[in-house]
């Protein structure tokens, strides 16, 4: 018992009214609160919930760019960057249009009056400026002006400009590939840009409560090509010079690793700058070395020799008679230098290739029956498109067997590389087969997807390889092509210390109306090195050069030599002879 | 009787309060309901009773408590509470410790959820910033490469394309030269030789 209760407290009067009043007030407050609770939680709940969501939830698109494209050494050929488009809604301006125009003039580097006229166009949705960089966007944001809207977009940047444009292609405004690898490798390059729902705290900080798994752990893979940027640069600048010197219609340089078909350089001229593709002719967006057919001319002669050797109808040390000119049916077939030199008599295979004798070549091919020859040409997949990763790869054209059987002229013209057509890249593939021991490898540009450490994360499916010649046959043909370069006429491409095999080609261009143009030529030169165990192939094709002395050995060969020199230095090929 | 258990307030502090309190006690009105003059402290009811007892009732003899309740402490010495009570006490103590721990844990978890979100938000902002810097750096780097290459291509710069003529090929070193190199024995350092200069 507490000590203070020892004495009874004095009774005091209870103020009932006051107590009742307090009680009433409390109950009233309770009821009011309860009512408000009901009102907020049940009656207005859906509307409030939505309002809260609108405030807290934001739709965010994290930075998931299209994959970059890099060369063999990891140099960037194409990458994504962010650009902004500025829209103005003058009906939401807190300031006058003049003031807004005045403040925008500096970051946009535009004239205030010009801006003002644009802002006066409409009440809302005026596109003020496009292609703004992130820095400019930051500056505009820092102005904290109402009624301005910055819309983020991805834009593709090709830092090397036109260097690899005919390989890489370009993407359009919707960020979709429209040419080259950007078009064919869309699947490997594109990543789905997910829109995320995220909640935002009162201070604007993002809250990760609704984050899906693996959102930010997107891989940093890039599409790696087999192209070597340094070699491509040399090839492109030299080709450009040569095309300009001879006022040629176009030209192409192909450098291929003969053992697996990897293309180290693939340059076509003229070309376009993919950063400003809209300013160029549509025709430039294709890679003509892959899409356009031409008659290879004498560069095809080594292939024909290989066909005859493979069929066993000739041996490597046989000779063939060159009369300088022969007549088949009503057609006269002569050597390119018949008027100056006349007939050369018996020629070895090496000499046939060296002098590029048409007549002896016809004699050589005539050892085969037309049927045999046609079959052999078919087996080279001349009429199949190449499996390269560029769009529009064309299949070669070969006359049907019936015309081979009907006219010996068809067989004869095919013997020196006319009357049928193929793409420059197909010719490179065929010469590659002679260089690598008889395998038809698939020319390709894509190495795969690589991660940050440059290790392959994804590789394309294994490319088909087909044997078309025996190693012995190709060895013989290679030796003969080596003799061509070692012969007096081969000094245009000879590089001291290096043994190469090569063949030039000059062909008249077929007219679309039938027959041939007498003045339009397409010249080419193909070289492989090192001769003992070839690793690389260089092919140059120049279409419609103009001027004097237009041959593969004069127009294309010097280019082959320069490109090969660069190739040797870049690849570090040691000389075979000191 | 129970007055002994109460702590004795020091005489100095209690003395000034005496005057008004004695008056109050005469009126026998509970202190809590009485209006107090401003500036005065309302004493706790326990103090009210405790104060006068030792000073007024308890005689001066200090020995008095010793002589009077001699048999009392003995029955109190073994405080045998029933088993159920002890069990309950233990449970109560245990559960209060548990409650304290849980409350701390809850606070920590709650704090961490708020903190983690904030930290994430900060890190995310940093990630975006870094991505942007990377983007800008790589782009600038490649653009510069291209620019340099274009400038190098101009003939007036005197730069030439790579070619075997300007490349030096070194023959591979043979193993023989390595083997034939005489192995010189390590020089012995004489302890008495001066090592510094």
């Amino acid at each position: 018992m507490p000590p203070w209760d020892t004495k009874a407290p004095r009774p005091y009067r209870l103020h009932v009214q006051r107590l009742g009043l307090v009680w009433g007030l409390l109950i009233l407050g309770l009821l009011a609160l309860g009512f408000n609770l009901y009102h907020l939680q049940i009656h207005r709940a859906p509307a409030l919930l939505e309002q809260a969501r609108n405030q807290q939830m934001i739709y965010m698109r994290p930075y998931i760019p299209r994959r970059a494209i890099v060369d063999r050494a990891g140099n960037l050929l194409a990458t994504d960057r962010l650009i902004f488009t500025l829209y103005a809604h003058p009906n939401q301006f807190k300031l006058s249009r003049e003031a807004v125009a005045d403040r925008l003039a500096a970051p946009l580097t535009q004239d205030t009056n010009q801006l003002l006229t644009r802002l006066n166009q409409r009440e809302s949705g005026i596109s003020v400026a496009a292609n703004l960089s992130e820095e400019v966007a930051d500056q505009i944001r820092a102005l904290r002006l109402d009624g301005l809207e910055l819309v983020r977009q991805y834009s593709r940047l090709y830092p090397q400009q036109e260097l690899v444009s005919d390989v890489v292609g370009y993407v359009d405004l919707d960020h979709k590939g429209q040419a080259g690898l950007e078009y064919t490798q869309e699947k490997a390059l594109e990543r789905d840009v997910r829109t995320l729902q995220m909640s935002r705290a009162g201070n604007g900080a993002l809250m990760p409560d609704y984050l899906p798994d693996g959102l930010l752990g997107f891989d940093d893979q890039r599409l790696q090509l087999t192209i070597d940027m340094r070699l491509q640069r040399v090839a492109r600048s030299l080709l450009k010079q040569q095309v300009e010197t001879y006022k040629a219609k176009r030209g192409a340089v192909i450098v291929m690793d003969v053992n697996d078909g990897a293309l180290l350089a693939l340059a076509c001229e003229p070309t376009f700058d993919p950063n400003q593709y809209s300013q160029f002719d549509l025709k430039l967006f294709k890679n003509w070395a892959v899409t356009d057919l031409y008659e290879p001319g004498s560069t095809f002669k080594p292939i024909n020799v290989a066909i005859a050797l493979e069929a066993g109808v000739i041996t490597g040390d046989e000779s063939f008679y060159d009369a300088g000119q022969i007549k088949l049916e009503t057609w006269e077939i002569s050597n390119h230098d018949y008027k100056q030199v006349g007939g050369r008599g018996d020629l070895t295979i090496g000499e046939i290739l060296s002098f590029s004798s048409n007549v002896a070549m016809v004699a050589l091919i005539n050892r085969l029956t037309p049927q045999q020859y046609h079959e052999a040409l078919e087996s080279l997949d001349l009429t199949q498109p190449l499996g390269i990763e560029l769009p529009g790869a064309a299949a070669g054209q070969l006359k049907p067997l019936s015309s081979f059987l009907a006219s010996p002229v068809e067989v004869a013209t095919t013997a020196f590389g006319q009357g049928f057509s193929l793409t420059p890249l197909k010719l490179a593939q065929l010469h590659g087969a002679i260089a690598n021991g008889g395998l038809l490898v698939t020319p390709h540009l894509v190495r795969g997807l690589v991660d940050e450490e440059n290790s392959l994360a994804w590789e394309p499916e294994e490319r088909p390889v087909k044997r078309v010649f025996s190693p012995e046959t190709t060895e013989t043909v290679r030796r003969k092509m080596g003799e061509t370069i070692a012969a007096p006429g081969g000094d245009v491409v000879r590089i001291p210390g290096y043994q190469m095999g090569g063949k030039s080609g000059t062909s008249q261009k077929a007219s679309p109306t039938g027959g041939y143009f007498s003045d339009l030529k397409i010249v080419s030169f193909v070289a492989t090195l090192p001769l003992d165990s070839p690793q690389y192939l260089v092919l140059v094709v120049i279409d419609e050069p103009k001027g004097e002395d237009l041959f593969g050995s004069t127009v294309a060969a010097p280019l082959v030599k320069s490109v090969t020199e660069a190739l040797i230095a870049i690849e570090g090929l040691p000389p075979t002879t000191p | 009787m129970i007055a002994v258990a109460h702590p004795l307030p020091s005489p100095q502090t209690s003395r000034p309060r005496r005057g008004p309190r004695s008056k109050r006690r005469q009126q026998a009105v509970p202190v809590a309901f009485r209006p107090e003059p401003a500036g005065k402290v309302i004493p706790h009811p326990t103090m009210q009773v405790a104060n006068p007892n030792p000073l007024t009732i308890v005689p001066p003899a200090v020995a008095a408590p010793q002589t009077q309740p001699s048999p009392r402490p003995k029955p109190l010495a073994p405080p045998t509470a029933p088993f159920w009570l002890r069990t309950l006490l233990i449970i109560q103590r245990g559960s209060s410790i548990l409650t304290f721990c849980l409350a701390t844990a809850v606070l920590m978890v709650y704090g961490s959820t708020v903190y983690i979100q904030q930290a994430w938000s900060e890190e995310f902002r940093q990630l975006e910033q870094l991505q942007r810097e990377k983007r800008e750096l790589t782009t600038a780097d490649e653009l510069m490469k291209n620019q340099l290459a274009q400038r190098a291509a101009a003939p007036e710069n005197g730069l030439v394309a790579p070619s075997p003529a300007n490349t030096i090929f070194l023959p591979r070193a043979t193993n023989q030269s390595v083997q034939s190199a005489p192995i010189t024995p390590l020089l012995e350092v004489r302890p008495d030789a001066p090592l510094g200069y």
Side-chain angles (χ1 to χ4, degrees):
Chain A
M1 181 200 278
W4 59 86
D5 277 2
T6 46
K7 284 176 187 161
R10 208 193 75 167
Y12 59 93
R13 228 163 56 96
L14 219 63
H15 298 280
V16 182
Q17 293 93 337
R18 217 187 290 171
L19 265 180
L21 188 72
V22 171
W23 183 84
L25 278 174
L26 283 175
I27 291 296
L28 207 67
L30 208 66
L31 283 178
L33 282 175
F35 175 75
N36 197 28
L37 193 68
Y38 163 80
H39 187 65
L40 287 175
Q41 288 286 343
I42 297 174
H43 193 245
R44 289 188 55 203
L48 286 175
L49 209 63
E50 201 187 317
Q51 202 179 334
R53 276 223 183 99
N54 285 343
Q55 268 179 21
Q56 295 161 359
M57 302 298 278
I58 53 161
Y59 291 92
M60 196 190 67
R61 281 193 301 167
Y63 175 67
I64 302 179
R66 191 181 169 91
R67 284 188 221 279
I69 302 179
V70 295
D71 82 335
R72 193 165 68 140
N75 294 305
L76 265 185
L77 304 178
T79 185
D80 260 20
R81 61 173 173 176
L82 289 176
I83 53 158
F84 294 84
T85 310
L86 177 67
Y87 290 96
H89 309 290
N91 52 6
Q92 290 174 34
F93 281 176
K94 294 266 162 59
L95 302 170
S96 69
R97 296 184 192 208
E98 288 77 15
V100 172
D102 192 45
R103 294 195 188 184
L104 282 178
L108 294 180
T109 59
Q110 283 188 30
D111 185 50
T112 313
N113 292 328
Q114 266 184 343
L115 272 174
L116 193 59
T117 45
R118 200 167 300 165
L119 290 181
N120 282 328
Q121 279 173 357
R122 244 171 297 158
E123 276 307 297
S124 177
I126 305 165
S127 160
V128 182
N131 281 327
L132 301 175
S133 70
E134 285 179 87
E135 292 85 56
V136 176
D138 278 352
Q139 288 171 21
I140 292 170
R141 257 187 229 117
L143 294 175
R144 298 191 151 273
L145 292 173
D146 280 318
L148 293 181
E149 188 188 2
L150 281 163
V151 176
R152 189 177 85 162
Q153 281 168 307
Y154 289 100
S155 134
R156 200 76 160 153
L157 175 74
Y158 301 91
Q160 318 300 339
Q161 293 175 306
E162 73 289 330
L163 181 65
V164 279
S165 55
D166 29 31
V167 168
V168 170
Y170 70 95
V171 295
D172 61 7
L173 286 175
D174 298 326
H175 225 54
K176 290 267 175 269
Q178 292 299 323
L181 293 174
E182 292 273 26
Y183 176 73
T184 57
Q185 302 299 302
E186 189 89 42
K187 261 192 196 151
L189 290 168
E190 208 171 43
R191 281 183 284 211
D192 50 333
V193 179
R194 274 184 294 179
T195 306
L196 297 173
Q197 231 189 15
M198 292 185 80
S199 54
R200 195 166 50 175
N203 59 356
L206 292 170
M207 291 294 172
D209 9 6
Y210 297 100
L211 223 54
D213 282 348
L215 144 80
L216 301 164
F218 72 83
D219 59 276
D220 215 353
Q221 293 171 1
R222 301 165 297 168
L223 186 74
Q224 190 169 46
L225 308 187
T226 55
I227 294 284
D228 186 291
M229 198 179 81
R230 291 173 68 197
L231 190 65
Q232 175 86 3
R233 204 178 280 284
V234 174
R236 169 147 335 264
S237 71
L238 291 170
L239 177 67
K240 200 170 187 168
Q241 273 175 29
Q242 201 75 340
V243 166
E244 275 168 20
T245 312
Y246 285 94
K247 295 185 180 63
K249 184 180 159 197
R250 55 189 182 175
V253 174
I254 297 168
V255 181
M256 188 172 91
D257 182 334
V258 294
N259 294 314
D260 64 355
L263 292 165
L264 300 181
L266 175 58
C268 294
E269 275 294 325
T271 188
F272 66 102
D273 181 354
N275 294 314
Q276 290 146 8
Y277 64 88
S278 55
Q279 296 169 14
F280 290 86
D281 187 2
L282 273 173
K283 280 182 198 155
L284 297 177
F285 296 158
K286 67 178 182 183
N287 189 311
W288 80 267
V290 173
T291 60
D292 288 12
L293 300 172
Y294 84 118
E295 298 192 13
S298 306
T299 40
F300 199 75
K301 281 176 186 162
I303 313 288
N304 278 333
V305 172
I307 288 173
L309 279 170
E310 190 70 18
V313 294
I314 61 164
T315 59
D317 22 70
E318 266 183 79
S319 295
F320 299 88
Y321 185 70
D322 177 9
Q325 191 175 36
I326 49 168
K327 200 166 181 186
L328 288 171
E329 292 173 342
T330 54
W331 301 86
E332 266 182 2
I333 288 169
S334 57
N335 293 337
H336 69 92
D337 51 3
Y338 176 66
K339 278 177 190 152
Q340 297 93 45
V341 188
R344 280 199 163 95
D346 278 341
L347 294 177
T348 62
I349 294 175
E351 285 166 340
I352 293 176
L353 295 180
S354 217
F355 297 127
S356 204
S357 163
N358 291 346
V359 175
M361 203 60 218
V362 173
L364 188 149
I365 281 300
N366 276 338
R367 297 274 184 94
L368 290 158
T369 64
Q371 204 154 7
Q372 252 182 326
Y373 185 43
H374 195 270
E375 233 166 63
L377 288 172
E378 285 277 17
S379 77
L380 296 178
D381 290 344
L382 273 185
T383 51
Q384 308 287 322
L386 281 172
I388 190 165
E389 302 95 340
L390 289 176
Q397 285 175 355
L398 184 65
K399 299 240 166 93
L401 178 62
S402 52
S403 39
F404 265 49
L405 289 170
S407 161
V409 181
E410 293 297 345
V411 177
T413 50
T414 309
F416 52 87
Q418 299 233 252
F420 68 101
S421 57
L422 40 68
T423 60
L425 195 65
K426 179 70 195 178
L427 187 72
Q429 185 201 31
L430 294 174
H431 274 279
I434 288 187
N436 67 21
L439 296 172
L440 217 52
V441 292
T442 311
H444 60 268
L445 290 158
V446 174
R447 183 166 169 251
L449 287 177
V450 290
D451 55 23
E452 282 290 85
E453 279 81 42
N454 242 10
S455 57
L456 271 178
W458 168 82
E459 253 180 301
E461 282 171 37
E462 209 168 299
R463 299 173 174 96
V465 174
K466 181 180 173 188
R467 177 163 288 285
V468 287
F469 301 121
S470 69
E472 296 76 31
T473 303
T474 57
E475 170 71 35
T476 313
V477 178
R478 240 179 10 243
R479 266 205 332 269
K480 304 296 173 200
M481 285 173 74
E483 286 170 28
T484 318
I485 299 293
D491 53 355
V492 279
V493 287
R494 223 176 291 143
I495 299 168
Y498 293 88
Q499 284 186 308
M500 301 163 60
K503 182 75 194 85
S504 67
T506 311
S507 52
Q508 285 180 316
K509 282 193 82 174
S511 126
T513 53
Y516 288 91
F517 290 113
S518 59
D519 52 342
L520 296 184
K521 286 180 179 172
I522 186 156
V523 299
S524 48
F525 199 100
V526 61
T528 51
L529 80 158
L531 191 61
D532 291 333
S533 57
Q535 265 181 286
Y536 303 104
L537 171 143
V538 181
L539 171 67
V540 170
V541 182
I542 294 188
D543 191 7
E544 293 181 24
K546 288 167 194 75
E548 293 296 307
D549 195 22
L550 302 173
F551 295 103
S553 52
T554 52
V555 180
L559 194 48
V560 168
K561 184 182 177 181
S562 311
V563 172
T564 309
E565 280 178 338
L567 174 70
I568 288 169
I570 288 167
E571 289 292 297
L573 276 179
T576 44
T577 51
Chain B
M1 40 176 207
I2 318 165
V4 196
H6 284 280
L8 290 175
S10 67
Q12 289 96 333
T13 51
S14 58
R15 198 158 285 162
R17 288 185 198 157
R18 294 225 53 185
R21 195 172 296 138
S22 53
K23 232 186 275 171
R24 215 183 299 148
R25 276 157 51 80
Q26 283 161 7
Q27 288 167 348
V29 174
V31 189
F33 298 107
R34 258 186 66 98
E36 190 78 8
K40 292 286 167 138
V41 180
I42 300 170
H44 193 274
T46 52
M47 286 177 76
Q48 201 184 330
V49 193
N51 285 345
N53 281 349
L55 291 166
T56 55
I57 301 169
V58 175
V62 192
Q66 284 181 335
T67 52
Q68 207 184 4
S70 50
R72 275 221 176 146
K74 261 194 180 162
L76 281 171
T80 47
F83 175 72
W84 59 268
L85 185 61
R86 273 183 292 159
T87 323
L88 278 180
L89 277 171
I90 290 168
I91 292 175
Q92 188 240 5
R93 202 166 300 161
S95 65
S96 54
I97 292 171
L98 189 73
T99 314
F100 177 75
C101 291
L102 281 176
T104 320
V106 165
L107 279 176
M108 274 165 64
V109 168
Y110 176 73
S112 68
T113 53
V114 173
Y115 172 75
I116 285 172
Q117 293 222 351
Q118 245 171 21
W120 186 90
S121 165
E122 190 50 46
E123 295 292 319
F124 184 72
R125 204 174 297 158
Q126 204 180 344
L127 172 76
E128 282 192 322
Q129 185 61 31
L130 286 174
Q131 277 179 339
R132 180 174 160 174
E133 276 166 26
K134 183 188 170 192
R135 209 154 55 219
E136 281 167 3
L137 281 174
T138 45
T139 314
D141 180 37
E142 293 299 328
L143 286 172
M144 219 177 286
K145 256 190 226 172
N146 186 45
Q147 217 171 8
L148 281 176
Q150 279 178 347
R151 219 179 293 167
E156 62 267 20
N157 281 322
L159 295 168
V160 291
S163 79
N166 54 31
T167 309
I168 297 171
F169 289 97
L170 295 175
R172 191 184 292 272
T174 51
N175 286 336
Q176 216 176 13
S177 60
V178 177
Q179 280 171 349
S180 63
I183 299 160
T184 49
L186 286 170
L187 284 174
E188 212 173 291
V189 179
R190 271 168 48 211
D192 57 330
L195 291 169
Y197 292 90

